[in-house]
Amino acid sequence: SLSPLTKYAAVHGIGNNSAVLETTRNGKSWFVLFNGSFASWAAAGKALKQLPPSMLSYKPWVRRLPASGRIAPLSTINKQL
């Protein structure tokens, strides 16, 4: 369900700069929250280190947005809910 992701993004004030990827894990829908778009791995890594402890507790990591998959801005998804 997208509901926990949208709540998480709202609590942390990141909804306007986030995107969601829908994929499948163990035969079920799985949603991945991406936050930000960066010009380089170094810039993304720097931003990662500046996240508040409450967000770091989820062990986020830097990754490239996949070329395939259903990626949508979280702000457009929130309007659909």
Side-chain angles (χ1 to χ4, degrees):
S1 166
L2 280 172
S3 186
L5 282 182
T6 58
K7 183 178 179 181
Y8 179 85
V11 166
H12 293 285
I14 61 170
N16 291 334
N17 197 30
S18 297
V20 174
L21 167 68
E22 182 179 359
T23 187
T24 303
R25 182 177 182 196
N26 298 327
K28 297 182 181 181
S29 289
W30 184 260
F31 300 95
V32 180
L33 180 66
F34 290 89
N35 181 38
S37 178
F38 302 93
S40 67
W41 283 92
K46 183 177 178 182
L48 179 68
K49 291 177 184 176
Q50 295 173 353
L51 292 174
S54 60
M55 292 178 77
L56 289 172
S57 68
Y58 289 95
K59 300 179 182 172
W61 68 94
V62 175
R63 67 184 286 188
R64 186 176 313 275
L65 284 172
S68 62
R70 296 175 50 197
I71 301 171
L74 189 58
S75 57
T76 62
I77 293 170
N78 285 336
K79 291 176 185 174
Q80 296 172 9
L81 296 178

